[in-house]
Amino acid sequence: MVVMKIRLATPQDSDRLLAIYSQYIGTSVTFEYELPTQKEFAERIAGVVRMYPYLVLEEGGRAVGYAYAHRQMERAAYQWNAELSIYLDHTSIARGCGSRLYRTLMELLRLQGIKNVYGVVTMPNDRSERLHQRMGFQRTGTYHNTGFKCGQWRDVALYEKQIAPYDAQPKPIQPFPSLPGELVQAVLRAAQE
């Protein structure tokens, strides 16, 4: 039996994660036209992990998917929100990998103090829509004709989910690296079960 494991990403994962991401460049899943360089991708990972979790799903020691969070909007009052991104190797789609990554990511964000998470899905994308619905996200709206990719204008659907209660006096969110290591490792261990 091949073991699946979720772990924290590092910039050194950029080669394999970039190979996964490259599977989407020619699709409307991402609005990028050109594949970033390995150096650019490593810098993106390093930028995310300064504040938010960035996870890798491995199967038999090989990365088959990744998910990360980033700031949803820039103003201070939005700090309790995070936007999620997820990419799976095409061999790992429809095997529960996306749900496993999303659950783990949301639990880590909850520990940081995040209250709401958001998914942004280029339409049509039945698999991503089903993932968000299965994970309890609600569709809140659509940006119409907001991006031009693969020869046509694309709509983008917005999904949201509350992951923690709203406090009357919320504490500022904790940067991910400042969370106690034992709490982070407990979440990652729970994801293996």
Side-chain angles (χ1 to χ4, degrees):
M1 179 175 147
V2 179
V3 175
M4 286 199 171
K5 173 185 174 186
I6 294 177
R7 64 172 176 78
L8 300 178
T10 71
Q12 289 73 37
D13 292 309
S14 61
D15 281 341
R16 179 61 194 143
L17 302 190
L18 188 58
I20 293 169
Y21 187 60
S22 72
Q23 298 171 34
Y24 296 92
I25 285 293
T27 74
S28 62
V29 170
T30 177
F31 275 5
E32 284 196 274
Y33 286 176
E34 295 182 19
L35 190 65
T37 66
Q38 184 273 332
K39 181 178 186 271
E40 290 168 335
F41 208 77
E43 288 169 355
R44 289 181 187 185
I45 294 169
V48 168
V49 299
R50 283 196 278 279
M51 189 66 182
Y52 297 99
Y54 201 127
L55 304 176
V56 176
L57 176 63
E58 292 181 330
E59 184 174 30
R62 179 178 164 266
V64 296
Y66 64 96
Y68 62 93
H70 59 90
R71 184 99 181 217
Q72 184 243 355
M73 291 187 178
E74 290 305 314
R75 302 292 184 254
Y78 292 116
Q79 69 182 285
W80 294 276
N81 304 326
E83 185 178 319
L84 312 183
S85 293
I86 185 168
Y87 293 92
L88 299 174
D89 186 278
H90 287 166
T91 63
S92 298
I93 292 172
R95 296 177 47 216
C97 297
S99 298
R100 183 180 286 196
L101 275 166
Y102 251 24
R103 265 193 304 277
T104 307
L105 184 58
M106 287 187 284
E107 180 58 22
L108 292 171
L109 290 167
R110 189 187 63 72
L111 292 175
Q112 284 185 260
I114 298 293
K115 309 297 183 188
N116 302 307
V117 290
Y118 296 87
V120 179
V121 179
T122 305
M123 307 302 291
N125 187 335
D126 294 338
R127 286 186 172 128
S128 188
E129 288 182 87
R130 283 193 304 270
L131 171 66
H132 285 89
Q133 291 164 357
R134 199 171 46 247
M135 299 299 298
F137 285 73
Q138 298 296 311
R139 186 169 171 171
T140 59
T142 304
Y143 291 136
H144 298 282
N145 299 309
T146 195
F148 189 82
K149 185 80 187 273
C150 300
Q152 68 184 52
W153 288 100
R154 303 287 176 166
D155 291 349
V156 172
L158 308 173
Y159 287 87
E160 75 176 356
K161 179 177 179 171
Q162 178 185 348
I163 62 170
Y166 304 116
D167 306 320
Q169 296 294 322
K171 296 177 185 171
I173 67 162
Q174 285 187 260
F176 182 69
S178 73
L179 290 179
E182 62 273 7
L183 281 179
V184 171
Q185 289 307 312
V187 171
L188 295 175
R189 276 193 306 275
Q192 316 321 320
E193 299 169 359

